[in-house]
Amino acid sequence: VLFNGIEYASTKLPYSYLPVLFGIQLTEPVWALFIVGFFAAVVGRRPERVEGWTKKRELIELTILWFIIPFIGFIILRSALYDNFRQILFILPPIFWMAGAAIEKVKRPALQIVLIALVILPGIVDGIRLHPYEYIYYNRFVGGVDGAQGRFELDYWGTSYREAAEYINEIAPANAVMWVEGPSHLFELYARQDLKIFSDHEIERTDHYDYVIATTRYYLDQTSYPNAKIIYKITRGGAVLAVIKNP
Protein backbone atom coordinates (compact mmCIF):
# COMPACT_ATOMS: atom_id res chain seq x y z
CA VAL A 1 0.00 0.00 0.00
CA LEU A 2 1.45 3.35 -1.05
CA PHE A 3 0.97 5.90 1.72
CA ASN A 4 2.76 9.24 1.93
CA GLY A 5 5.50 8.04 -0.39
CA ILE A 6 6.22 4.81 1.51
CA GLU A 7 5.00 1.30 0.69
CA TYR A 8 3.47 -0.64 3.58
CA ALA A 9 2.00 -4.10 3.97
CA SER A 10 -1.79 -3.77 4.18
CA THR A 11 -1.68 -5.38 7.63
CA LYS A 12 0.99 -3.00 8.97
CA LEU A 13 -0.34 0.40 8.09
CA PRO A 14 0.68 3.36 10.29
CA TYR A 15 -1.88 4.68 12.77
CA SER A 16 -2.04 7.89 10.72
CA TYR A 17 -3.34 6.06 7.63
CA LEU A 18 -7.06 6.68 8.06
CA PRO A 19 -6.88 10.13 9.68
CA VAL A 20 -4.65 11.43 6.88
CA LEU A 21 -6.70 9.92 4.05
CA PHE A 22 -9.97 11.12 5.56
CA GLY A 23 -8.43 14.56 5.75
CA ILE A 24 -7.20 14.73 2.16
CA GLN A 25 -9.80 12.72 0.21
CA LEU A 26 -12.97 14.51 1.28
CA THR A 27 -13.62 18.02 0.00
CA GLU A 28 -12.22 20.84 2.11
CA PRO A 29 -15.47 22.09 3.77
CA VAL A 30 -16.60 18.67 5.01
CA TRP A 31 -14.69 18.43 8.27
CA ALA A 32 -15.29 22.04 9.27
CA LEU A 33 -19.03 21.50 8.80
CA PHE A 34 -18.89 18.16 10.63
CA ILE A 35 -17.25 19.77 13.67
CA VAL A 36 -19.72 22.68 13.67
CA GLY A 37 -22.68 20.32 13.26
CA PHE A 38 -21.50 17.97 16.01
CA PHE A 39 -20.82 20.86 18.37
CA ALA A 40 -24.22 22.40 17.60
CA ALA A 41 -25.94 19.07 18.30
CA VAL A 42 -24.11 18.62 21.61
CA VAL A 43 -24.62 22.13 23.05
CA GLY A 44 -27.87 22.97 21.30
CA ARG A 45 -30.22 21.62 23.96
CA ARG A 46 -33.12 23.87 24.94
CA PRO A 47 -35.44 22.79 27.76
CA GLU A 48 -38.48 24.15 25.95
CA ARG A 49 -37.76 21.99 22.90
CA VAL A 50 -37.54 18.48 24.35
CA GLU A 51 -38.50 16.81 21.07
CA GLY A 52 -35.79 18.70 19.18
CA TRP A 53 -33.19 17.72 21.77
CA THR A 54 -34.26 14.06 21.56
CA LYS A 55 -33.63 14.10 17.82
CA LYS A 56 -30.23 15.73 18.32
CA ARG A 57 -29.30 13.19 20.97
CA GLU A 58 -30.22 10.36 18.62
CA LEU A 59 -28.10 12.00 15.93
CA ILE A 60 -25.13 12.19 18.30
CA GLU A 61 -25.58 8.59 19.41
CA LEU A 62 -25.79 7.36 15.83
CA THR A 63 -22.67 9.34 14.91
CA ILE A 64 -20.72 7.84 17.80
CA LEU A 65 -21.90 4.27 17.11
CA TRP A 66 -21.77 4.43 13.31
CA PHE A 67 -18.67 6.53 12.72
CA ILE A 68 -16.51 7.46 15.73
CA ILE A 69 -16.24 4.04 17.41
CA PRO A 70 -15.60 2.09 14.16
CA PHE A 71 -13.14 4.75 13.00
CA ILE A 72 -11.12 4.50 16.21
CA GLY A 73 -11.42 0.71 16.14
CA PHE A 74 -9.99 0.42 12.63
CA ILE A 75 -7.04 2.58 13.68
CA ILE A 76 -6.26 0.79 16.95
CA LEU A 77 -6.69 -2.71 15.50
CA ARG A 78 -4.71 -1.75 12.40
CA SER A 79 -7.23 -3.46 10.18
CA ALA A 80 -5.98 -4.60 6.79
CA LEU A 81 -6.88 -1.88 4.28
CA TYR A 82 -5.76 -1.14 0.74
CA ASP A 83 -6.76 1.04 -2.20
CA ASN A 84 -7.22 3.85 0.31
CA PHE A 85 -10.31 3.38 2.49
CA ARG A 86 -12.82 1.95 0.03
CA GLN A 87 -13.49 -1.07 2.29
CA ILE A 88 -14.97 1.13 5.01
CA LEU A 89 -17.04 3.62 3.02
CA PHE A 90 -20.07 2.46 5.03
CA ILE A 91 -18.95 4.51 8.07
CA LEU A 92 -19.01 7.84 6.17
CA PRO A 93 -22.74 8.84 6.23
CA PRO A 94 -22.59 10.41 9.74
CA ILE A 95 -19.93 12.82 8.52
CA PHE A 96 -22.35 14.24 6.01
CA TRP A 97 -25.48 14.34 8.13
CA MET A 98 -23.55 16.27 10.75
CA ALA A 99 -22.40 18.62 7.99
CA GLY A 100 -26.08 18.97 7.09
CA ALA A 101 -26.86 19.76 10.72
CA ALA A 102 -24.39 22.65 10.53
CA ILE A 103 -26.05 24.04 7.40
CA GLU A 104 -29.45 23.67 9.10
CA LYS A 105 -28.32 26.16 11.75
CA VAL A 106 -28.42 28.87 9.08
CA LYS A 107 -32.06 29.91 9.17
CA ARG A 108 -32.21 32.22 6.15
CA PRO A 109 -32.94 30.16 3.00
CA ALA A 110 -30.95 32.49 0.75
CA LEU A 111 -27.85 32.11 2.93
CA GLN A 112 -28.37 28.35 3.07
CA ILE A 113 -28.39 28.20 -0.72
CA VAL A 114 -25.20 30.26 -0.93
CA LEU A 115 -23.50 28.09 1.72
CA ILE A 116 -24.54 24.86 0.00
CA ALA A 117 -23.27 26.18 -3.33
CA LEU A 118 -19.91 27.09 -1.80
CA VAL A 119 -19.67 23.70 -0.08
CA ILE A 120 -20.31 21.61 -3.20
CA LEU A 121 -18.30 23.82 -5.56
CA PRO A 122 -14.88 22.18 -4.95
CA GLY A 123 -16.30 18.73 -5.68
CA ILE A 124 -18.05 19.90 -8.84
CA VAL A 125 -15.00 21.73 -10.19
CA ASP A 126 -12.60 18.87 -9.52
CA GLY A 127 -15.11 16.28 -10.68
CA ILE A 128 -15.27 17.96 -14.08
CA ARG A 129 -11.50 18.37 -14.20
CA LEU A 130 -10.81 14.72 -13.32
CA HIS A 131 -13.58 13.09 -15.39
CA PRO A 132 -13.80 10.13 -15.95
CA TYR A 133 -11.34 9.47 -13.11
CA GLU A 134 -13.21 11.23 -10.34
CA TYR A 135 -12.35 8.50 -7.87
CA ILE A 136 -8.67 9.56 -7.79
CA TYR A 137 -9.70 12.84 -6.12
CA TYR A 138 -7.51 14.49 -3.48
CA ASN A 139 -8.26 17.87 -2.01
CA ARG A 140 -6.11 20.97 -1.91
CA PHE A 141 -4.72 20.18 1.54
CA VAL A 142 -2.32 17.83 -0.22
CA GLY A 143 -2.15 19.77 -3.49
CA GLY A 144 -4.81 17.81 -5.36
CA VAL A 145 -3.85 14.89 -7.58
CA ASP A 146 -0.64 16.71 -8.48
CA GLY A 147 0.50 16.61 -4.86
CA ALA A 148 -0.68 13.02 -4.43
CA GLN A 149 1.36 11.73 -7.39
CA GLY A 150 3.98 9.31 -6.10
CA ARG A 151 2.80 9.71 -2.51
CA PHE A 152 -0.68 8.20 -2.48
CA GLU A 153 -2.68 5.76 -4.58
CA LEU A 154 -4.28 7.23 -7.68
CA ASP A 155 -5.69 5.02 -10.46
CA TYR A 156 -5.56 1.77 -8.49
CA TRP A 157 -8.35 0.22 -10.57
CA GLY A 158 -6.46 0.82 -13.82
CA THR A 159 -9.41 2.63 -15.38
CA SER A 160 -7.04 4.72 -17.52
CA TYR A 161 -6.39 1.60 -19.62
CA ARG A 162 -9.57 2.28 -21.55
CA GLU A 163 -8.19 5.62 -22.72
CA ALA A 164 -4.88 3.89 -23.49
CA ALA A 165 -6.67 1.28 -25.62
CA GLU A 166 -8.65 3.94 -27.49
CA TYR A 167 -5.43 5.80 -28.30
CA ILE A 168 -3.71 2.62 -29.49
CA ASN A 169 -6.76 1.73 -31.59
CA GLU A 170 -6.29 4.97 -33.49
CA ILE A 171 -2.54 4.88 -34.12
CA ALA A 172 -1.48 1.21 -34.20
CA PRO A 173 -1.03 -0.52 -37.56
CA ALA A 174 -2.86 -3.76 -38.23
CA ASN A 175 -1.72 -6.72 -36.11
CA ALA A 176 0.52 -4.55 -33.93
CA VAL A 177 2.18 -6.30 -31.00
CA MET A 178 2.20 -4.82 -27.54
CA TRP A 179 3.24 -5.50 -23.99
CA VAL A 180 0.78 -4.46 -21.27
CA GLU A 181 1.87 -4.12 -17.66
CA GLY A 182 -0.54 -4.58 -14.77
CA PRO A 183 -4.24 -5.20 -15.46
CA SER A 184 -3.91 -6.22 -19.10
CA HIS A 185 -7.47 -7.63 -19.10
CA LEU A 186 -8.81 -4.09 -18.78
CA PHE A 187 -6.85 -3.02 -21.85
CA GLU A 188 -8.08 -6.05 -23.80
CA LEU A 189 -11.71 -5.10 -23.16
CA TYR A 190 -11.36 -2.02 -25.37
CA ALA A 191 -8.52 -2.95 -27.73
CA ARG A 192 -9.02 -3.80 -31.40
CA GLN A 193 -9.44 -7.47 -32.19
CA ASP A 194 -6.41 -7.61 -34.48
CA LEU A 195 -3.96 -6.38 -31.82
CA LYS A 196 -1.64 -8.98 -30.30
CA ILE A 197 -1.40 -8.42 -26.57
CA PHE A 198 1.20 -9.95 -24.25
CA SER A 199 1.55 -9.56 -20.49
CA ASP A 200 2.81 -11.20 -17.31
CA HIS A 201 -0.45 -13.13 -17.13
CA GLU A 202 0.58 -15.37 -20.04
CA ILE A 203 3.58 -17.58 -20.64
CA GLU A 204 4.06 -16.63 -24.29
CA ARG A 205 6.49 -13.89 -25.26
CA THR A 206 7.77 -12.36 -28.47
CA ASP A 207 11.06 -10.78 -29.53
CA HIS A 208 9.68 -7.32 -30.24
CA TYR A 209 6.80 -5.14 -29.11
CA ASP A 210 5.50 -2.19 -31.07
CA TYR A 211 4.04 -0.55 -27.98
CA VAL A 212 4.30 -0.86 -24.21
CA ILE A 213 1.42 0.21 -21.96
CA ALA A 214 2.21 0.74 -18.30
CA THR A 215 0.33 2.14 -15.32
CA THR A 216 2.16 4.42 -12.91
CA ARG A 217 1.02 2.26 -10.02
CA TYR A 218 3.88 0.29 -8.47
CA TYR A 219 6.14 2.54 -10.65
CA LEU A 220 5.58 0.18 -13.60
CA ASP A 221 5.89 3.14 -15.96
CA GLN A 222 9.49 3.53 -14.80
CA THR A 223 10.56 -0.10 -14.50
CA SER A 224 9.01 -1.48 -17.69
CA TYR A 225 11.26 -0.71 -20.68
CA PRO A 226 12.81 2.26 -18.84
CA ASN A 227 14.73 3.47 -21.91
CA ALA A 228 11.77 3.34 -24.28
CA LYS A 229 10.37 6.60 -25.63
CA ILE A 230 7.08 7.73 -24.10
CA ILE A 231 4.72 8.70 -26.91
CA TYR A 232 1.56 9.31 -24.90
CA LYS A 233 0.62 10.03 -21.29
CA ILE A 234 -2.78 9.74 -19.69
CA THR A 235 -2.92 12.58 -17.20
CA ARG A 236 -5.21 14.61 -15.03
CA GLY A 237 -3.63 17.85 -13.91
CA GLY A 238 0.02 17.08 -13.31
CA ALA A 239 -0.67 13.49 -12.29
CA VAL A 240 0.27 10.75 -14.76
CA LEU A 241 -1.97 7.68 -14.60
CA ALA A 242 -0.52 5.59 -17.41
CA VAL A 243 1.96 5.86 -20.28
CA ILE A 244 2.37 4.39 -23.73
CA LYS A 245 5.90 3.72 -24.94
CA ASN A 246 7.51 2.92 -28.23
CA PRO A 247 10.41 0.51 -27.48
Side-chain angles (χ1 to χ4, degrees):
V1 176
L2 178 64
F3 175 71
N4 205 17
I6 301 172
E7 291 186 352
Y8 296 90
S10 63
T11 54
K12 296 182 179 179
L13 297 171
Y15 292 116
S16 60
Y17 183 77
L18 281 180
V20 169
L21 287 179
F22 273 38
I24 64 179
Q25 283 210 286
L26 299 178
T27 55
E28 294 86 351
V30 167
W31 287 111
L33 289 173
F34 172 82
I35 293 170
V36 171
F38 193 85
F39 180 78
V42 169
V43 303
R45 179 179 180 180
R46 294 182 181 178
E48 69 274 13
R49 297 182 60 187
V50 177
E51 182 181 350
W53 165 244
T54 300
K55 291 180 179 179
K56 288 179 179 178
R57 184 182 64 191
E58 291 173 351
L59 203 63
I60 294 167
E61 291 171 351
L62 270 174
T63 300
I64 293 171
L65 292 172
W66 191 337
F67 171 66
I68 294 177
I69 291 177
F71 178 68
I72 295 173
F74 286 125
I75 295 172
I76 293 175
L77 297 175
R78 300 181 78 174
S79 301
L81 298 171
Y82 53 91
D83 297 345
N84 293 340
F85 54 85
R86 65 182 180 85
Q87 294 93 351
I88 60 169
L89 289 173
F90 62 88
I91 74 171
L92 295 188
I95 299 172
F96 298 100
W97 73 47
M98 277 301 180
I103 293 175
E104 189 181 34
K105 299 298 290 183
V106 179
K107 299 305 181 183
R108 294 179 60 183
L111 290 179
Q112 273 193 345
I113 292 172
V114 171
L115 179 59
I116 291 171
L118 290 174
V119 166
I120 66 174
L121 188 61
I124 292 175
V125 170
D126 287 327
I128 293 172
R129 186 170 60 89
L130 296 175
H131 183 76
Y133 312 117
E134 293 91 343
Y135 87 108
I136 69 173
Y137 172 85
Y138 286 85
N139 64 35
R140 288 159 185 79
F141 294 147
V142 74
V145 293
D146 298 26
Q149 175 87 63
R151 295 177 58 197
F152 300 97
E153 300 284 10
L154 288 173
D155 186 23
Y156 51 76
W157 280 120
T159 55
S160 56
Y161 273 22
R162 175 173 183 169
E163 186 175 336
E166 290 171 348
Y167 178 79
I168 287 291
N169 290 343
E170 292 181 2
I171 68 165
N175 302 311
V177 181
M178 57 204 60
W179 177 263
V180 182
E181 292 284 1
S184 59
H185 61 288
L186 298 179
F187 182 87
E188 292 172 4
L189 285 173
Y190 305 102
R192 290 190 338 233
Q193 293 298 315
D194 64 293
L195 299 177
K196 296 179 173 58
I197 300 171
F198 294 83
S199 72
D200 277 332
H201 304 292
E202 297 101 19
I203 297 176
E204 293 184 10
R205 298 289 187 271
T206 186
D207 295 333
H208 173 74
Y209 301 100
D210 299 306
Y211 303 98
V212 172
I213 295 87
T215 174
T216 54
R217 195 181 193 194
Y218 307 127
Y219 308 104
L220 292 176
D221 61 315
Q222 300 175 30
T223 58
S224 181
Y225 290 83
N227 298 321
K229 179 183 178 182
I230 296 175
I231 61 172
Y232 187 72
K233 293 181 180 180
I234 298 169
T235 64
R236 286 300 180 272
V240 182
L241 308 182
V243 300
I244 297 174
K245 299 181 179 183
N246 191 204

